[in-house]
Amino acid sequence: MGDPKIRYDIEAAVTGEKSVEQLAQALHQLGDVLDGELKESARAAAAELDGLGAKQRAVEQFATLKRESETLAKALADAGAAVERLAPDLSAAQTRTQAMAGAEAEAARALLASRDALQRKRQELTQLNAENTSATRKSDEFKAAQGQLKTEVAQTTKEVKERRTALQTAQQQAKLAEQAERALTAEYQRAVGSAGKLSAELGNKNRALQASREVLQATGVGTTNLAQAERNLQAAVAQTRERVLG
């Protein structure tokens, strides 16, 4: 390598902050213009760097897949935890909805019974008044019976109002319970759907990760310590660079 021009060209090709791909390309270009042993040396070094570059890309791809797999695994765990958390809440909401619906039905039956009772009391009072003449209405017996019926009508009227209010309250509570159940059902279904989707994505990602691991292992690169594997590749690139410089 006595020619200073050739020496300069080689140094320019392999020095500086170049990636392994850039180094390989520079040496391929040198191999096209050099002659004899220098040509063969440049081409051999370029081929070696091509191989190292392929290994580096495989390591980087594996590292990316590993990070993505870990991210998906955490997201799946979170989604699974959400499903487990929501399941008892949804069950409790369903139980409450059923209870509120039962309470609403019971309040409706109670109101109907009070309305029927009020109608009977009014009919009894009307009948009592119709069956007695002006003379008999002056009797203590009539006055007592009429007073009793009027008291019962007033009490039952009050009861109807109270039970109407109770029914309205029960209806509102049943509506709120149903709304809460629907909201929890929707949230639960989203969590289940998300968990299913993430599980499928994680399965695909893990298969890609395993394929990437097999590629690396086939080239002699270990995957248990990626940082060390990357350092080893960088050292191999540096050795190749030094060897070209002679």
Side-chain angles (χ1 to χ4, degrees):
M1 199 185 301
D3 189 332
K5 174 67 167 61
I6 294 176
R7 177 70 184 180
Y8 173 81
D9 290 341
I10 293 174
E11 289 181 352
V14 299
T15 55
E17 297 297 326
K18 291 184 174 68
S19 67
V20 64
E21 290 83 3
Q22 290 171 329
L23 279 174
Q25 183 181 9
L27 287 171
H28 277 299
Q29 292 171 348
L30 268 180
D32 291 337
V33 298
L34 294 175
D35 296 317
E37 291 184 4
L38 289 177
K39 174 189 284 288
E40 294 305 318
S41 177
R43 286 180 172 178
E48 186 176 343
L49 289 170
D50 284 337
L52 291 172
K55 288 182 180 181
Q56 279 191 342
R57 289 191 295 275
V59 167
E60 290 168 0
Q61 181 186 37
F62 181 83
T64 298
L65 288 170
K66 191 171 185 294
R67 287 193 299 271
E68 291 172 348
S69 178
E70 291 170 351
T71 299
L72 283 171
K74 183 181 183 306
L76 177 57
D78 291 343
V83 171
E84 292 181 2
R85 172 179 57 81
L86 289 169
D89 292 345
L90 178 57
S91 178
Q94 291 170 337
T95 299
R96 177 171 174 75
T97 298
Q98 293 172 354
M100 292 300 99
E104 180 185 358
E106 181 60 31
R109 287 191 292 269
L111 176 58
L112 179 60
S114 294
R115 283 174 172 170
D116 289 343
L118 178 59
Q119 185 178 4
R120 288 194 301 273
K121 295 299 179 183
R122 285 173 173 170
Q123 288 174 344
E124 289 176 12
L125 181 58
T126 299
Q127 185 176 356
L128 177 66
N129 290 331
E131 290 176 350
N132 287 272
T133 62
S134 58
T136 56
R137 289 183 181 184
K138 295 179 181 179
S139 66
D140 292 339
E141 183 180 356
F142 171 80
K143 290 179 180 178
Q146 186 186 54
Q148 178 63 32
L149 282 172
K150 285 182 177 181
T151 299
E152 291 176 359
V153 166
Q155 290 175 340
T156 308
T157 298
K158 180 182 177 182
E159 183 180 269
V160 167
K161 291 180 180 178
E162 290 173 347
R163 289 187 171 179
R164 184 183 296 115
T165 299
L167 176 58
Q168 291 171 345
T169 300
Q171 288 172 333
Q172 183 64 20
Q173 289 177 340
K175 182 179 179 181
L176 291 173
E178 185 179 356
Q179 289 173 344
E181 182 188 345
R182 281 202 302 269
L184 274 171
T185 298
E187 187 177 0
Y188 179 79
Q189 289 174 343
R190 284 194 298 271
V192 170
S194 177
K197 181 180 178 182
L198 287 167
S199 179
E201 290 179 0
L202 180 59
N204 292 335
K205 191 68 66 176
N206 282 338
R207 283 188 287 274
L209 182 63
Q210 180 58 30
S212 178
R213 179 182 287 110
E214 291 171 359
V215 168
L216 282 174
Q217 290 173 343
T219 60
V221 179
T223 58
T224 55
N225 189 337
L226 287 181
Q228 184 60 51
E230 289 176 344
R231 286 194 294 270
N232 291 343
L233 288 170
Q234 289 168 1
V237 171
Q239 290 173 1
T240 303
R241 188 197 303 262
E242 291 301 320
R243 189 167 63 253
V244 170
L245 288 172

